[in-house]
Amino acid sequence: MLPMLRRSQFYRLHTMNNPENPRLPVPPFDNESAIQKVRIGEDAWNTRNPELVSLGYTSDSIWRNRSEFLSGREAIAQFLTRKWLKELDYRLIKELWAFQDNRIAVRFAYEWHDDSGNWFRSYGNENWEFDEHGFMRWRIASINDLPILKSDRKFHWILGRRPDDHPGLSDLNL
């Protein structure tokens, strides 16, 4: 398991996609490194920091998120800024589905509410492809939103990183 990094260390280590600053772990993935890569992604997204999250992608990364198509870190950061202004109190869990060489498939769920207090659980699948330095160069996401009651929420940790002892998707039967 990679040690937890302070934000300043994270920025320094992950701002460039080159051999001097790889985004560990790097492909080809085995089961352990694929699980680790998924958790690193989950942890980054749970910061809800668009600039920090965008550093995990190549400078020319290609995305499809629902019906929106993006390219590049700046577009990713702008998209995430809009997303988290709408999706309040966002909490995400990702789980490895499959992997091979430099590709990983995940399933995920996240809970959030809108500015009117309506709660949702969003379910989805992502296909990821990484460059040789461990930066994601391609992300395809399919997502569906399910309205839920506040009392039906299952993700109850303090905003930020999901605690290690919090159940994952399979444990929650999601």
Side-chain angles (χ1 to χ4, degrees):
M1 192 80 171
L2 290 176
M4 290 301 299
L5 299 174
R6 290 190 313 267
R7 182 169 285 176
S8 62
Q9 291 173 308
F10 186 93
Y11 278 110
R12 192 176 70 248
L13 290 172
H14 301 301
T15 55
M16 301 293 293
N17 45 307
N18 63 51
E20 292 80 35
N21 296 305
R23 180 74 190 257
L24 301 175
V26 298
F29 299 113
D30 59 21
N31 191 60
E32 181 179 338
S33 64
I35 290 170
Q36 187 178 32
K37 197 70 159 178
V38 171
R39 183 58 193 249
I40 289 168
E42 175 188 316
D43 290 349
W45 279 64
N46 275 324
T47 69
R48 296 177 332 279
N49 179 325
E51 290 76 25
L52 179 78
V53 173
S54 73
L55 296 177
Y57 301 90
T58 62
S59 59
D60 59 351
S61 185
I62 304 291
W63 275 29
R64 180 183 57 76
N65 195 87
R66 300 178 191 245
S67 62
E68 194 164 346
F69 295 82
L70 311 168
S71 180
R73 284 187 181 144
E74 185 176 330
I76 291 167
Q78 291 171 357
F79 168 84
L80 293 172
T81 297
R82 288 191 316 273
K83 172 184 179 62
W84 290 320
L85 287 174
K86 175 187 171 202
E87 297 177 356
L88 307 173
D89 290 326
Y90 175 98
R91 289 171 177 84
L92 166 73
I93 300 176
K94 292 183 183 268
E95 186 173 279
L96 177 67
W97 187 255
F99 68 92
Q100 182 176 5
D101 300 324
N102 68 336
R103 292 181 172 169
I104 294 177
V106 299
R107 64 189 201 93
F108 63 87
Y110 61 91
E111 293 180 349
W112 59 281
H113 67 86
D114 63 18
D115 59 3
S116 297
N118 299 305
W119 280 91
F120 300 86
R121 186 173 305 118
S122 299
Y123 296 95
N125 300 292
E126 294 177 322
N127 296 315
W128 300 343
E129 183 177 276
F130 294 88
D131 72 6
E132 65 275 16
H133 309 298
F135 290 83
M136 195 181 303
R137 65 178 163 212
W138 198 15
R139 175 184 174 269
I140 301 169
S142 298
I143 307 166
N144 298 299
D145 301 318
L146 175 69
I148 61 172
L149 298 174
K150 184 176 182 177
S151 60
D152 291 334
R153 292 180 51 225
K154 296 179 182 278
F155 303 173
H156 295 285
W157 65 88
I158 295 171
L159 288 176
R161 185 178 191 276
R162 176 174 55 101
D164 290 334
D165 62 349
H166 190 282
L169 295 179
S170 293
D171 300 323
L172 292 168
N173 296 315
L174 294 177

